[in-house]
C-alpha cells in the first residue's frame, strides 16, 4: 500500500481517466466548480446582487431588469436571449449595476433565434456599469445608455438591426 502522500495522486489519476461525457462537443462537461454544466434559465426582476456563472450557457426567457443590486456576468459566459427580450439596468428609481467580467474569457450576449433580441438598455439610475470583453450579437439594438457612466474595456457589437451604440 502506498503512503498517505500518494493517495491524493492516485485519486487525481483516476479522475483523469474517467470516461468522456456523452454531451455534445459545444457543451462542456464541467466548469471550474466541477459541477455538471447545464443551461441556466433567467427571467424577471433582479433586486439583489446576482452572479451568472463563468463558463456557463445562460438563456433569458423574458426581460431581465436589474432594479437593485449588481448583476455580474462571469468570463466565458454565453447568454442567449429569446425573441423580444432584453437586459435593462437602472431604469427605475433604485441604484443598480452591471459588471461584465469578460477580460480573461470574453462574454457573448446574443439572440437565441434569428428573430433577435432587444439589446442592453442602461438607465440613469445605473451606478456601476463596467463592461470588459463583451460581444453583443444579433440584437434589434446593441447598447443604449441614457444618463449613466459606463466604463468599457473591450466591446464588440455585431449584427444590430438598429443603432448598435446610442447615448442620450
Amino acid at each position: 500500500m502506498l503512503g498517505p502522500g500518494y493517495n491524493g495522486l492516485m485519486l487525481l489519476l483516476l479522475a483523469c481517466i474517467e470516461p468522456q461525457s456523452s454531451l455534445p462537443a459545444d457543451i462542456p462537461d464541467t466548469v471550474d466548480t466541477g459541477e455538471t454544466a447545464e443551461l441556466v434559465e433567467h427571467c424577471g426582476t433582479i433586486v439583489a446582487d446576482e452572479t451568472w456563472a463563468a463558463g456557463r450557457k445562460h438563456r433569458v426567457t423574458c426581460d431581465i431588469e436589474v432594479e437593485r443590486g449588481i448583476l455580474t456576468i462571469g468570463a466565458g459566459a454565453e447568454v442567449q436571449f429569446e425573441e423580444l427580450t432584453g437586459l435593462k439596468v437602472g431604469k427605475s428609481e433604485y441604484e443598480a449595476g452591471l459588471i461584465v467580467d469578460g477580460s480573461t474569457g470574453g462574454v457573448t450576449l446574443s439572440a437565441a433565434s434569428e428573430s433577435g433580441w432587444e439589446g442592453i438598455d442602461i438607465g440613469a439610475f445605473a451606478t456601476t456599469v463596467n463592461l470588459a470583453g463583451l460581444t453583443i450579437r444579433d440584437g434589434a439594438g446593441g447598447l443604449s445608455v441614457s444618463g449613466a457612466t459606463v466604463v468599457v474595456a473591450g466591446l464588440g457589437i455585431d449584427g444590430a438591426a438598429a443603432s448598435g451604440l446610442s447615448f442620450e
Side-chain angles (χ1 to χ4, degrees), residues 14-26:
L14 291 174
C16 292
I17 59 172
E18 287 184 16
Q20 295 295 314
S21 169
S22 60
L23 291 173
D26 64 334

Side-chain angles (χ1 to χ4, degrees), residues 25-143:
D26 64 334
I27 300 176
D29 282 346
T30 60
V31 292
D32 291 341
T33 62
E35 298 174 16
T36 301
E38 59 188 47
L39 184 67
V40 181
E41 291 190 349
H42 305 279
C43 177
T45 303
I46 295 174
V47 294
D49 291 351
E50 183 170 312
T51 299
W52 293 2
R56 290 258 174 134
K57 291 189 179 216
H58 302 266
R59 171 86 42 119
V60 174
T61 58
C62 75
D63 281 339
I64 297 292
E65 182 168 352
V66 184
E67 189 174 280
R68 295 181 185 181
I70 296 174
L71 170 61
T72 302
I73 303 175
E78 293 180 37
V79 183
Q80 294 184 333
F81 289 78
E82 293 288 336
E83 181 179 1
L84 303 177
T85 63
L87 175 58
K88 297 168 179 59
V89 180
K91 300 294 286 182
S92 65
E93 70 265 17
Y94 305 106
E95 294 182 353
L98 173 65
I99 297 174
V100 175
D101 183 16
S103 58
T104 59
V107 170
T108 301
L109 307 183
S110 63
S113 68
E114 292 181 22
S115 299
W117 64 292
E118 295 297 312
I120 303 173
D121 188 0
I122 307 293
F125 292 97
T127 56
T128 301
V129 181
N130 297 320
L131 309 176
L134 173 61
T135 300
I136 300 172
R137 289 199 175 114
D138 305 322
L143 175 63

